[in-house]
Amino acid sequence: MDNFIGLDVSKSTVSVFIPQSELEIEIANTVKGFTQLFSKLKKLYKKEHDSLVFVYEPTSSYSSTLELFCANKHIRVFKINPKASHNFAKALSIRNKTDKVDARMLCHAGMLAKEEEIHIPVIDVIVEQINDLMSYYQLLVKQRVQTSNHLEKLQHKESTATLKKAFKQKEQHTIDEIKRLITKDSKLALKYQSIQTIKGLGDIATIALIHLFLKYPNANQKQIISLAGLDPIEKTSGTSVRGKTRISKAGNKLYRRSLFMGTMVTIRFNEEMKCFYDRLKEKGKHTTLIQIAVMKKLIIIARALFHSNQGYSSEIYQAHCGMVAQNSNVA
């Protein structure tokens, strides 16, 4: 337990709890700050410093410096899901929420880690670049929608069209830049081409899937569906609680948004998907439920193509999805 170091990461600082001496310190969220922390830890733990595990919540760009430092110094980490740490804090009846309290809580949360979840971070430069560009693309889309909604209320419709066009050009430039990164890597380029053999998947949907599979390389079929937020959440208890089953919407919503239009096109032009859609429709399933089921199948097939570097075929569809309809009560 003493080898788990809790780190609560924020934009400019990191609160640290060191259980060896019940020490609470605050350092800068910089390479220099982490270097000073590691020097202090080596003095405290001496020969045992190799057994240290940094426990923190991944916070996108805020935790990137810490992750890169741990990769370079071969420090093992446990990246705990924010929801898991929140539930853990509630289980401990922790009512206060401060940086120091969170750092101490994260230290104790190390006991939740499975052996395979503790590892030295591996930094893939291309994955990080794609991640940054995808985040920028999401920001552009959000800004375009907000600006468009605002300008729709005004009288000058020409201004609206001009600004929409400018945002669209920026979005396309970002997508082109991501494609350039992918084509520079021969292995990634082959995987990209393999996924695009699925009729209906355009550039954005394919890039989103590539990003999903690169970011979570060790996720199994069930986990990859959950990471896209398409896993069902059921709320029933006793005789009084009968909540409607829905998808969790966990993870990055970009995956679901990017795949939605691709799903609609795939239902029209892919024979297997169309048959699957019609079969569920005949059983009286709700349209939204069927669309989600098709989206799941797309992810499963795309993942298979990503790993095998093969093009889409009916045989691959049957091998990885079968011909049995998924009757999960997702809404």
Side-chain angles (χ1 to χ4, degrees), residues 7-74:
L7 298 99
D8 184 61
V9 183
S10 60
K11 183 177 180 179
S12 56
T13 61
V14 179
S15 289
V16 184
F17 177 73
I18 305 172
Q20 177 84 319
S21 53
E22 292 284 315
L23 188 62
E24 295 176 337
I25 61 174
E26 185 174 89
I27 62 171
N29 190 0
T30 61
V31 174
K32 183 179 178 180
F34 292 123
T35 302
Q36 293 172 345
L37 170 64
F38 195 48
S39 297
K40 182 184 288 290
L41 290 171
K42 285 197 285 188
K43 289 179 182 178
L44 285 171
Y45 287 85
K46 298 179 181 178
K47 292 181 179 180
E48 295 181 358
H49 77 273
D50 288 335
S51 66
L52 293 176
V53 178
F54 283 10
V55 183
Y56 63 95
E57 296 175 352
T59 52
S60 187
S61 58
Y62 292 172
S63 59
S64 59
T65 304
L66 169 60
E67 194 158 329
L68 182 61
F69 179 82
C70 291
N72 292 334
K73 295 295 183 180
H74 302 286

Side-chain angles (χ1 to χ4, degrees), residues 17-177:
F17 177 73
I18 305 172
Q20 177 84 319
S21 53
E22 292 284 315
L23 188 62
E24 295 176 337
I25 61 174
E26 185 174 89
I27 62 171
N29 190 0
T30 61
V31 174
K32 183 179 178 180
F34 292 123
T35 302
Q36 293 172 345
L37 170 64
F38 195 48
S39 297
K40 182 184 288 290
L41 290 171
K42 285 197 285 188
K43 289 179 182 178
L44 285 171
Y45 287 85
K46 298 179 181 178
K47 292 181 179 180
E48 295 181 358
H49 77 273
D50 288 335
S51 66
L52 293 176
V53 178
F54 283 10
V55 183
Y56 63 95
E57 296 175 352
T59 52
S60 187
S61 58
Y62 292 172
S63 59
S64 59
T65 304
L66 169 60
E67 194 158 329
L68 182 61
F69 179 82
C70 291
N72 292 334
K73 295 295 183 180
H74 302 286
I75 301 170
R76 296 185 303 157
V77 305
F78 170 46
K79 294 189 284 187
I80 185 170
N81 186 292
K83 285 186 178 179
S85 61
H86 175 72
N87 292 334
F88 182 72
K90 287 175 66 177
L92 295 180
S93 299
I94 297 175
R95 297 184 179 182
N96 297 322
K97 183 170 176 57
T98 66
D99 293 342
K100 289 183 178 181
V101 170
D102 285 349
R104 184 181 288 265
M105 178 273 296
L106 288 168
C107 169
H108 296 306
M111 68 175 69
L112 301 176
K114 299 176 183 177
E115 187 175 344
E116 63 271 16
E117 293 177 323
I118 298 175
H119 59 274
I120 297 171
V122 177
I123 306 298
D124 190 317
V125 177
I126 291 181
V127 174
E128 293 303 315
Q129 288 177 326
I130 293 175
N131 186 52
D132 290 342
L133 286 168
M134 288 298 278
S135 296
Y136 179 57
Y137 173 78
Q138 283 183 281
L139 176 63
L140 288 173
V141 172
K142 185 177 180 179
Q143 288 178 335
R144 172 170 56 83
V145 172
Q146 289 177 339
T147 304
S148 177
N149 291 340
H150 175 70
L151 292 177
E152 284 293 336
K153 301 174 184 177
L154 306 181
Q155 299 297 322
H156 301 288
K157 300 300 180 183
E158 292 182 5
S159 301
T160 304
T162 303
L163 284 170
K164 278 184 180 180
K165 185 178 179 180
F167 274 114
K168 283 285 188 181
Q169 288 174 342
K170 287 183 180 180
E171 290 168 24
Q172 187 57 51
H173 176 74
T174 305
I175 293 299
D176 291 341
E177 182 63 20

Side-chain angles (χ1 to χ4, degrees), residues 182-192 210 306 309:
I182 291 173
T183 52
K184 277 176 62 178
D185 187 305
S186 58
K187 292 182 179 179
L188 271 184
L190 182 57
K191 294 179 184 300
Y192 183 89
I210 289 276
F306 176 85
N309 295 324

Side-chain angles (χ1 to χ4, degrees), residues 196-202 261-278 294 298 312-314 317:
Q196 281 222 309
T197 58
I198 304 174
K199 289 182 180 179
L201 292 187
M261 285 307 299
T263 299
M264 299 300 99
V265 179
T266 301
I267 290 169
R268 290 180 59 194
F269 295 103
N270 182 287
E271 191 60 34
E272 288 79 23
M273 293 295 185
K274 188 176 184 303
C275 290
F276 175 67
Y277 179 92
D278 292 341
V294 173
L298 278 177
Y312 176 84
S313 66
S314 299
Y317 172 87

